Every structure is written in structure tokens, then in C-alpha cells.
Amino acid sequence: MADVEQQTAPQPKKNADLPVRLASAIAMLALAGGALWMGGQWLDLFILVVVLATLVELVLLVVKATTNIPYRLGAILAGTIYVGLAGIFLSRFPVAIVIGVVGAVICVDTFAYFFGRTLGGPKIAPRISQSKTWAGLLGGIIGATAWVAAWIYTIARATSGDTTMPFDGMEMLQILAIGTAVAVAAQAGDFFESWLKRKAGVKDSSRIIPGHGGVFDRTDGLIPVVLLAGGMLGAAV
């Protein structure tokens, strides 16, 4: 009888949280877009607030995940360097680079979410994250590659005045390589935070953003991509 009730019980819709997630995403984009548009000290302040919020949530996760004090202190130090260095890079990037990096991560997250929810399939590392699938990673690569191609064409080629020539074969391979690297880096950041949350025994880094969890839940993929971009561009620190 219990089996029959379990089979007939209404199941939650697959994308039931989508409206809340979209509303929160729009609000976050508006806030970030406003900071980018105002630039200067406003953008620096916005980056500082995001970095500090991310760092606080990371530290709280580390505290919950560790009992050994030396390990805890070492993890907090490493996390401070990890988050702080990304914040320094991001604050020193030109606005065009900031748009390119943030837009790429948004595309990775968005495409991975819809590909993963729609196609499902095998999970990459189920012991760390039950939501990350190979289909999602493929979607992330497609999203990042499409964004990088559009960004290069719009920004770089418009700057040079050459907007008529299409990408050649070598350029397409380079764009695909960058898109793949960005998607893998973003997913690695997601996995790192998922592993840390699993160790801490929590679902989200906080509940400050409806439908998305905490600030660290939104910046987990951005941090390694910013570090990757900083390394590729040779950003001075």
C-alpha cells in the first residue's frame, strides 16, 4: 500500500524553482550592470562587497567542515588568497574584460543548467555533486564558446575596425579552446564549493539570494575563471 501511495503521490516539477531563479538572476544582473555602467569607485565597491561576502561564506563553510584547528587555519588562509586574488584581478581588469569574463561564466551556468535539466544523463562526480552532468558540461562549453566568439567579434574586432571578415579555422579552434577552458574552470569551481558544502553538511553557502543560495554559490565558478583570465592576460598584482 505504501508503494502504491509513493507511486501516485505528486512529484515536484523538474523546473519548479525556475521563476524564482530567473527573478533573482535578473535582480543580480541589474545590480552588477549598474555597477559596471557607473564604473570607477562604484564598480570597485561592488567588487569589494562581493569578495567580502564570498570570503565570509567560505570561512563559515570551512569552520563547519573542519575540526582540526591547524587545518582550519590553513584552509582559511588558502581561501583568502583564492578569493582575494580573484578580486584583485577583477578590479584591475578593463571594463571590457570584466564583461567578457562575467558574461562567459553566466553563459556556462545558464547553458549547463538547461542542458543538464533537459538532457540529464550520467553525472560527472555524483559523490561530490548530484546536479553536475556531462550534458551540463557540454552545454557549458557551448555557452562559453558562443559568448567568447560574440565577445571577440563585438569588442576586439570593433576596436580594430575589422567587422567584415569571418573567423578563420585557427581562430575558431582557439575560441573553442578558450570556451572549453572557461567551462571546465567554472565547473571545477562549482565542484570545489560542492565538495566543501558536503563536508560542512549544508546545501547552500547561505540563503541570502532566493533560488540561488548564497553569494559563494554564485561566485564559485567565477573565481577560477577570473584567475584563469588573469593568468592568460598576465595581469599585474
Side-chain angles (χ1 to χ4, degrees):
M1 185 67 177
D3 292 339
V4 174
E5 290 177 354
Q6 186 175 7
Q7 291 176 2
T8 58
Q11 298 296 320
K13 293 183 178 180
K14 203 170 188 180
N15 294 320
D17 63 339
L18 185 56
V20 175
R21 289 178 63 89
L22 285 176
S24 294
I26 292 171
M28 287 186 288
L29 284 173
L31 186 59
L36 278 170
W37 181 72
M38 289 185 290
Q41 294 181 345
W42 290 103
L43 179 57
D44 290 340
L45 179 61
F46 177 77
I47 293 173
L48 178 61
V49 170
V50 172
V51 167
L52 290 177
T54 299
L55 185 56
V56 167
E57 292 182 358
L58 188 151
V59 169
L60 291 176
L61 289 177
V62 168
V63 170
K64 291 179 181 178
T66 58
T67 55
N68 184 290
I69 298 302
Y71 287 170
R72 178 180 294 175
L73 294 176
I76 290 174
L77 176 60
T80 301
I81 295 172
Y82 176 64
V83 176
L85 188 59
I88 292 172
F89 278 159
L90 198 60
S91 66
R92 296 194 176 187
F93 286 160
V95 172
I97 300 297
V98 174
I99 293 173
V101 171
V102 174
V105 175
I106 291 174
C107 285
V108 170
D109 288 346
T110 303
F111 278 67
Y113 177 81
F114 283 107
F115 270 63
R117 286 297 184 97
T118 303
L119 301 179
K123 297 176 177 17
I124 299 175
R127 290 187 177 183
I128 299 176
S129 174
Q130 286 290 324
S131 63
K132 300 295 186 297
T133 63
W134 289 105
L137 177 58
L138 174 62
I141 292 173
I142 292 173
T145 301
W147 172 265
V148 170
W151 182 84
I152 290 176
Y153 188 86
T154 302
I155 303 297
R157 295 205 169 198
T159 300
S160 66
D162 182 9
T163 60
T164 58
M165 296 296 292
F167 295 116
D168 59 31
M170 182 57 66
E171 287 174 328
M172 287 302 301
L173 287 176
Q174 291 173 340
I175 290 171
L176 177 60
I178 294 173
T180 301
V182 166
V184 170
Q187 292 277 281
D190 287 344
F191 274 118
F192 167 67
E193 198 217 5
S194 295
W195 170 81
L196 186 56
K197 288 190 294 186
R198 184 175 289 270
K199 296 287 286 185
V202 299
K203 181 178 181 293
D204 298 312
S205 60
S206 76
R207 297 180 180 179
I208 195 172
I209 307 173
H212 292 267
V215 177
F216 190 24
D217 292 318
R218 291 297 86 209
T219 60
D220 55 357
L222 177 63
I223 296 169
V225 175
V226 171
L227 296 175
L228 174 66
M232 292 175 62
L233 297 171
V237 294

